[in-house]
Amino acid sequence: MAVKNPKACSHCSFITDEDECPRCGNKTSKNWQGYVIIVDARKSEIAKRMGLDVNGKFALRVR
Ligand SMILES: [Zn+2]
């Protein structure tokens, strides 16, 4: 998946190029900073801390 102008979901931080989050349907924002890539959500401490249960790319901060 090629993402040209990625946006991040204001609710779950999922990074996508859609206007609405494909995961939770909330609005996405272009105003976000930093990201983590979760490759194994069940074993990842970061995923646990962020409350994530799926693999993917997630913004650290969304405004
Ligand atoms: Zn979302």
Side-chain angles (χ1 to χ4, degrees):
M1 182 176 70
V3 181
K4 279 184 196 168
N5 290 308
K7 298 166 199 159
C9 175
S10 56
H11 180 74
C12 69
S13 299
F14 186 74
I15 294 177
T16 176
D17 54 359
E18 306 292 331
D19 288 332
E20 282 179 8
C21 177
R23 286 193 67 217
C24 66
N26 278 278
K27 292 276 177 229
T28 53
S29 168
K30 275 184 196 167
N31 203 350
W32 57 273
Q33 288 180 326
Y35 65 88
V36 289
I37 296 171
I38 306 296
V39 290
D40 194 340
R42 272 177 297 177
K43 286 181 187 168
S44 167
E45 282 299 318
I46 301 166
K48 232 179 272 175
R49 225 181 304 160
M50 293 176 73
L52 305 171
D53 55 2
V54 294
N55 298 337
K57 215 165 157 186
F58 294 88
L60 291 177
R61 215 198 287 174
V62 186
R63 269 176 284 177

